Amino acid sequence: ETGVTQTPRHLVMGMTNKKSLKCEQHLGHNAMYWYKQSAKKPLELMFVYNFKEQTENNSVPSRFSPECPNSSHLFLHLHTLQPEDSALYLCASSQGLSGGSSYEQYFGPGTRLTVT
Amino acid sequence: KNQVEQSPQSLIILEGKNCTLQCNYTVSPFSNLRWYKQDTGRGPVSLTIMTFSENTKSNGRYTATLDADTKQSSLHITASQLSDSASYICVVSSRGGAGNMLTFGGGTRLMVKP
């Protein structure tokens, strides 16, 4: 798990709070991803960054704001969330973009988010 | 619409027994298919990745098969162990174009009991 780290591992926040999730990869990869995993639903891709540039935004509400200052770090800024946003948020990285290629994605342990 | 369906949704088996998990997909154009294992409270970890030309690939006690004609894949676990208890996720990658084209299945939750 030291390849991709995420902090915090658990987060409880109110609907009016502002918080940030952090992801760091130590693998020298160029692509990073944010996923949402809700109970009994498939993994949902939220954002994709390649060489710090956002290449995909899967119609994610603006209350989720990603930031990628460099190829090793990825943030997800949260504000005015809803209870239905409670989920496990997973970060992943890959050498190149995984879609349409054999580049393997390496996942972090996730942040368990609860919105009250 | 690209879709990946996995069955069963959940499965309970006794330690030492074998089991097979299924994955059917309608993703096109196909690039590759991956199986991941996700332990509770952790991120998914890759088990196998198979391209169009590969029919079978093994990783220890895990053996994945792919039938590109029928668009089906299976993951066979031999001599199950308690540590195999996890969710198993099938992911299909589409070929071509820019961006990230991965379609995820809903997973099969496996519980191995002593």
Side-chain angles (χ1 to χ4, degrees):
Chain A
E1 287 188 0
T2 56
V4 180
T5 58
Q6 290 186 243
T7 54
R9 294 293 306 274
H10 301 272
L11 178 63
V12 179
M13 60 185 289
M15 290 189 285
T16 58
N17 291 157
K18 289 184 179 181
K19 297 287 184 182
S20 295
L21 309 185
K22 179 183 176 181
C23 174
E24 184 174 1
Q25 58 97 358
H26 311 272
L27 301 169
H29 289 167
N30 300 310
M32 296 188 76
Y33 314 78
W34 278 119
Y35 288 91
K36 176 183 179 183
Q37 188 174 37
S38 304
K40 300 182 179 180
K41 291 178 67 175
L43 274 165
E44 301 172 56
L45 178 66
M46 300 175 72
F47 302 103
V48 181
Y49 279 83
N50 194 32
F51 292 98
K52 303 189 303 178
E53 299 298 319
Q54 188 178 123
T55 61
E56 194 159 337
N57 175 341
N58 270 358
S59 303
V60 180
S62 59
R63 57 185 184 270
F64 295 91
S65 175
E67 178 190 0
C68 188
N70 54 61
S71 292
S72 299
H73 294 85
L74 187 63
F75 295 89
L76 188 62
H77 304 300
L78 316 171
H79 64 97
T80 59
L81 294 191
Q82 305 298 312
E84 59 264 29
D85 296 322
S86 298
L88 180 68
Y89 288 84
L90 290 162
C91 173
S93 73
S94 59
Q95 183 63 47
L97 289 174
S98 275
S101 76
S102 298
Y103 288 118
E104 194 55 74
Q105 285 194 351
Y106 294 83
F107 286 83
T111 295
R112 174 67 62 186
L113 174 67
T114 303
V115 181
T116 62
Chain B
K1 181 183 177 184
N2 289 339
Q3 284 189 313
V4 175
E5 300 288 340
Q6 291 187 243
S7 62
Q9 285 191 341
S10 61
L11 181 63
I12 301 174
I13 61 173
L14 293 176
E15 186 179 12
K17 297 296 185 182
N18 303 335
C19 68
T20 300
L21 314 181
Q22 300 290 342
C23 173
N24 297 338
Y25 61 92
T26 57
V27 176
S28 181
F30 176 87
S31 176
N32 57 67
L33 184 146
R34 311 158 193 227
W35 282 95
Y36 285 89
K37 177 187 179 187
Q38 185 176 18
D39 293 314
T40 301
R42 297 194 169 195
V45 175
S46 177
L47 293 175
T48 66
I49 178 170
M50 302 178 71
T51 59
F52 185 88
S53 59
E54 295 175 299
N55 300 119
T56 303
K57 184 168 277 191
S58 293
N59 178 359
R61 294 180 295 103
Y62 300 101
T63 299
T65 65
L66 175 64
D67 186 333
D69 292 329
T70 62
K71 298 187 177 182
Q72 295 180 325
S73 176
S74 65
L75 181 69
H76 186 75
I77 304 175
T78 304
S80 61
Q81 300 177 359
L82 298 179
S83 59
D84 292 329
S85 296
S87 288
Y88 292 84
I89 302 171
C90 176
V91 185
V92 182
S93 173
S94 300
R95 186 179 65 247
N100 184 49
M101 291 170 284
L102 297 176
T103 306
F104 288 79
T108 293
R109 184 175 295 277
L110 174 66
M111 181 178 296
V112 180
K113 290 191 169 183

